[in-house]
Amino acid sequence: MNIVVLVKQVPDTWSERKLTDADHTLDREAADAVLDEINERAVEEALRIKEAQGGEVTVVSMGPDRATDAIRKALSMGADKAVHVSDEALHGSDAVQTARVLAKAIGTVEGYDLILAGNEATDGRAGAVPAMIAELLGLPQLTQARKVSFDGSTVTVERETEEGLTTVQASLPAVVSVTEKINEPRYPSFKGIMAAKKKPVNTVTVADLGIDAGEVGLAGALTTVLEAAPKPPRTAGERVEDDGTGGTKIAEYLVGQKLI
Amino acid sequence: MLDYRLDEEYEALRKTVREFARAEVAPVIGDFYEREEFPYELVRKMGAMGLFGLPFPEEYGGMGGDYFALCLALEELARVDSSVAITLEAGVSLGSMPIYRFGTAEQKRRWLPELCRGEALGAFGLTEPGGGSDAGALRTTARLDGDDWVLRGSKAFITNSGTDITALVTVAAVTGTTADGGKEISAIIVPSGTPGFTVAGRYSKVGWNASDTHELSFVDCRVPAENLLGARGRGYAQFLQTLDEGRVAIAAIGVGLAQGCVDECLRYVAEREAFGRKIGMYQAIQFKIADMEARAHTARLAYYHAAARMLRGESFKKEAAIAKLTSSEAAMANAREATQIFGGYGFMNEFPVGRFYRDAKILEIGEGTSEVQRMLIARELGLPRSA
């Protein structure tokens, strides 16, 4: 089975993440950049499918030049090749523009049966790109997968959301996005790191994909961040003295918060 | 050409091991340490990512890397915890390396693939209860009886010798007398479970408490003649080479511990307040941390230099001794200062610096004491052998 895996370089969740004051886009200088954890799981799932069934795993990523580090990591885990969309014009692109570019980039990969992605990135957390790509490519979408299995040309997914667990099926090719429960990703071995240096990475611009530079980037975005503020510090909370009515007071508080 | 930048694959390896140490080791190691328990699951994961095969060729299940790659992995592990670092160091540099370097084709085929995957561990039995750095004072004997070696004697402080996955111990033994009347020393592979080979209970140690260390005894322990490792009578020369490399690896562990102290202190002084301000605002604290960073950095350059000479096939005996001496003293000093900066919390087991403090001392002792390193450096400078 030939698989496309979408990966994204994000600021390390261990470091302080900031938006720039100028245009409210990600301040890439402020934090270390890493391959997004959820993408590591998507890559891991792709590799497990490949190890069981054979085929090829192609990594597709959109991001600045330094996103090659994230791509190299996916290749050192065991993916076979990569397509990297890198273009100054992409700065500030929103989810819809990103999905359009990635759909075109996926189109350059021949004969894929499956597109795997993380369900949402740890930075933007829109969680919409995999579904948008499926729409653009006219493929079935199976999002929030915690388990993926195959039977011939049918893919079955255990889909887990806050509402509960559902089993959904589609015929291939399809887009599947995975949650953090899907697997434990492997760490690249030194052999994998050495091998990754020799794997092909096809770097393309938006023009190479037949997209007009004016259609992407901050200026043409459908959504705009008007304002950004740091998360307020945690407040001290409310203290309830139990004079016999403690239980009632807690219940009232929870009702007030619409939690019960 | 002078260039201290590392190739990108070394940097990628360093980053991978750092992530592993931070995500997998840091959250659980304190509990293993406190329970004095060997972390089998972590060792399995280290094996799965190929750390035990780093310096060995792919034909034996290795990663096709080199000894410096091993050192980088050790440094990054030790930045978080020394017990797992020494388990890897002893497994590779003492357990597998002598077999790879001196073993027959059959011995390599039999042992290396499992050792490279970290599914089995090898140990190295040199030190005895009556002698450590004085390798010439060995008392354990092996006598050829028909087609068997028969071993008698005991070994002390042997890392990785008593785990559930320990496959073998390479034992240094006196196998006869040389032409000039000295001891003929040879190395013999003793598989775990061989009758007459007993592993005593675990030591109660000051540090390295999540690593495995035992005293071993051999009473009429028989192994086949072909278990001889390398040429008969070459044991001493083999150990000297093994120990020179091992010193560079121990230096890497010392640098990791020294850097780990800086990491912990930077975090702590940005949070902890005293007399109305963060303690990181005080120059007394800043100078301590600056000195700690300088020590870690200097020691890192020393081990890089020794490793570079080793990889180029040049003599590195003096450089290895300097690296090991500098690094272990840096580790000890940084652990002492880090504990001081943490104050009362530094004395509590719940913070890593207390563990670093307990783990640092052995670095000035194991694989040659600091005094032995100075002796080696003096000897390399052409000074006469002192008493």
Side-chain angles (χ1 to χ4, degrees):
Chain A
M1 181 173 313
N2 292 327
I3 305 168
V4 169
V5 190
L6 301 176
V7 306
K8 182 179 184 185
Q9 190 181 48
V10 297
D12 195 345
T13 50
W14 285 70
S15 39
E16 197 190 344
R17 295 173 293 172
K18 285 186 214 157
L19 300 181
T20 56
D21 294 332
D23 61 7
H24 302 308
T25 59
L26 175 65
D27 183 353
R28 294 183 193 268
E29 300 306 314
D32 291 339
V34 296
L35 171 58
D36 200 353
E37 245 178 80
I38 193 71
N39 296 155
E40 286 181 15
R41 293 177 202 272
V43 171
E44 176 66 33
E45 196 61 20
L47 295 175
R48 288 183 189 190
I49 297 166
K50 176 192 156 175
E51 281 155 11
Q53 309 190 15
E56 209 174 31
V57 175
T58 307
V59 171
V60 173
S61 186
M62 173 181 133
D65 282 350
R66 75 167 181 174
T68 38
D69 289 348
I71 292 167
R72 286 280 167 216
K73 180 160 189 194
L75 294 175
S76 55
M77 287 172 74
D80 299 287
K81 57 191 172 62
V83 180
H84 179 189
V85 191
S86 178
D87 200 316
E88 294 278 325
L90 291 166
H91 174 81
S93 294
D94 66 6
V96 173
Q97 291 166 310
T98 301
R100 283 181 182 148
V101 172
L102 287 173
K104 289 277 190 191
I106 292 165
T108 67
V109 181
E110 269 176 48
Y112 58 83
D113 306 292
L114 180 69
I115 298 166
L116 275 171
N119 63 333
E120 67 175 29
T122 52
D123 57 351
R125 300 199 60 183
V129 170
M132 289 173 176
I133 288 171
E135 284 298 316
L136 289 165
L137 295 175
L139 297 178
Q141 48 171 291
L142 300 87
T143 55
Q144 313 260 60
R146 71 163 199 187
K147 191 163 178 276
V148 183
S149 56
F150 300 91
D151 182 11
S153 62
T154 306
V155 54
T156 305
V157 150
E158 273 182 24
R159 181 175 197 274
E160 187 176 33
T161 63
E162 283 171 9
E163 282 80 42
L165 203 58
T166 43
T167 303
V168 285
Q169 271 187 346
S171 55
L172 297 171
V175 178
V176 173
S177 76
V178 302
T179 70
E180 70 279 1
K181 290 207 185 127
I182 188 85
N183 57 40
E184 279 306 316
R186 70 195 66 186
Y187 288 88
S189 70
F190 194 63
K191 194 161 78 179
I193 289 168
M194 302 280 275
K197 285 170 69 180
K198 300 188 195 94
K199 290 177 177 173
V201 178
N202 181 22
T203 306
V204 296
T205 61
V206 290
D208 294 336
L209 296 175
I211 299 170
D212 185 64
E215 292 173 41
V216 294
L218 203 55
L222 298 178
T223 57
T224 312
V225 179
L226 297 175
E227 209 178 336
K231 193 166 68 177
R234 211 183 278 238
T235 51
E238 237 170 89
R239 217 185 161 84
V240 176
E241 294 292 338
D242 187 14
D243 52 5
T245 62
T248 318
K249 281 182 184 158
I250 288 171
E252 279 167 3
Y253 175 80
L254 292 175
V255 169
Q257 298 291 315
K258 296 198 166 66
L259 288 168
I260 56 173
Chain B
M1 188 180 75
L2 183 64
D3 188 349
Y4 276 98
R5 280 174 307 179
L6 303 186
D7 289 343
E8 60 179 289
E9 63 264 29
Y10 287 135
E11 286 295 354
L13 174 72
R14 179 191 275 288
K15 203 171 164 190
T16 303
V17 180
R18 182 180 304 169
E19 281 170 24
F20 172 81
R22 201 163 71 171
E24 311 280 344
V25 180
V28 300
I29 197 65
D31 286 341
F32 282 105
Y33 198 90
E34 215 156 306
R35 293 196 304 266
E36 304 197 2
E37 194 180 319
F38 188 77
Y40 285 101
E41 182 59 13
L42 286 178
V43 170
R44 189 193 65 74
K45 288 178 177 174
M46 286 156 61
M49 63 191 284
L51 297 187
F52 285 91
L54 272 175
F56 304 111
E58 292 180 29
E59 61 173 310
Y60 298 115
M63 291 291 122
D66 53 35
Y67 207 87
F68 182 60
L70 171 69
C71 290
L72 288 175
L74 291 171
E75 183 191 332
E76 288 301 328
L77 286 174
R79 217 166 141 171
V80 167
D81 176 65
S82 288
S83 293
V84 292
I86 196 59
T87 299
L88 176 64
E89 194 275 339
V92 175
S93 127
L94 303 179
S96 308
M97 193 55 92
I99 293 177
Y100 169 64
R101 181 141 309 134
F102 310 114
T104 61
E106 173 54 29
Q107 286 167 339
K108 290 189 227 187
R109 229 184 353 259
R110 176 172 173 195
W111 300 109
L112 286 179
E114 230 188 340
L115 294 172
C116 282
R117 288 196 300 269
E119 288 165 8
L121 289 172
F124 185 71
L126 175 61
T127 302
E128 299 189 350
S133 293
D134 185 6
L138 282 184
R139 294 178 61 183
T140 296
T141 59
R143 168 175 63 82
L144 204 51
D145 178 35
D147 288 335
D148 292 335
W149 288 106
V150 184
L151 288 94
R152 282 192 79 92
S154 50
K155 296 290 174 183
F157 315 131
I158 308 303
T159 305
N160 289 345
S161 61
T163 71
D164 296 348
I165 55 171
T166 301
L168 67 99
V169 180
T170 299
V171 178
V174 179
T175 49
T177 312
T178 58
D180 59 2
K183 285 174 176 174
E184 178 197 88
I185 296 169
S186 306
I188 296 166
I189 299 172
V190 181
S192 298
T194 305
F197 166 27
T198 315
V199 179
R202 296 174 60 100
Y203 288 102
S204 172
K205 293 176 289 190
V206 169
W208 284 359
N209 283 341
S211 79
D212 180 82
T213 322
H214 298 269
E215 185 167 327
L216 311 178
S217 69
F218 303 89
V219 180
D220 294 331
C221 170
R222 281 177 177 271
V223 297
E226 67 254 27
N227 281 25
L228 179 70
L229 181 63
R232 181 169 176 171
R234 293 289 300 153
Y236 194 65
Q238 291 172 11
F239 297 135
L240 289 186
Q241 191 177 348
T242 302
L243 290 178
D244 280 341
E245 288 175 351
R247 280 178 188 128
V248 183
I250 294 289
I253 293 180
V255 170
L257 192 154
Q259 196 68 55
C261 290
V262 176
D263 295 342
E264 292 301 323
C265 286
L266 286 176
R267 209 168 19 232
Y268 187 72
V269 303
E271 287 169 9
R272 172 74 182 185
E273 290 185 14
F275 308 106
R277 55 179 70 176
K278 306 277 190 234
I279 62 171
M281 304 281 286
Y282 296 105
Q283 201 177 50
I285 299 290
Q286 290 184 0
F287 277 16
K288 276 188 199 296
I289 296 177
D291 285 343
M292 286 163 65
E293 174 70 10
R295 281 190 286 259
H297 180 77
T298 313
R300 181 178 298 108
L301 293 181
Y303 102 69
Y304 276 16
H305 181 64
R309 290 185 64 91
M310 183 204 297
L311 294 190
R312 285 199 301 263
E314 297 166 2
S315 153
F316 64 99
K317 195 177 263 301
K318 184 178 77 176
E319 290 76 13
I322 291 173
K324 203 260 179 187
L325 176 66
T326 312
S327 152
S328 55
E329 295 195 342
M332 193 65 217
N334 281 16
R336 189 177 61 240
E337 293 289 38
T339 307
Q340 192 68 21
I341 288 172
F342 270 64
Y345 290 110
F347 203 58
M348 298 297 119
N349 277 327
E350 62 176 300
F351 286 93
V353 292
R355 186 154 41 83
F356 291 167
Y357 187 73
R358 292 167 63 177
D359 289 341
K361 185 61 212 172
I362 185 62
L363 297 170
E364 295 183 320
I365 299 169
E367 305 218 16
T369 59
S370 290
E371 291 71 24
V372 164
Q373 309 309 322
R374 290 186 168 90
M375 200 173 84
L376 290 169
I377 297 164
R379 209 175 275 172
E380 288 294 310
L381 289 171
L383 292 166
R385 285 180 178 252
S386 57

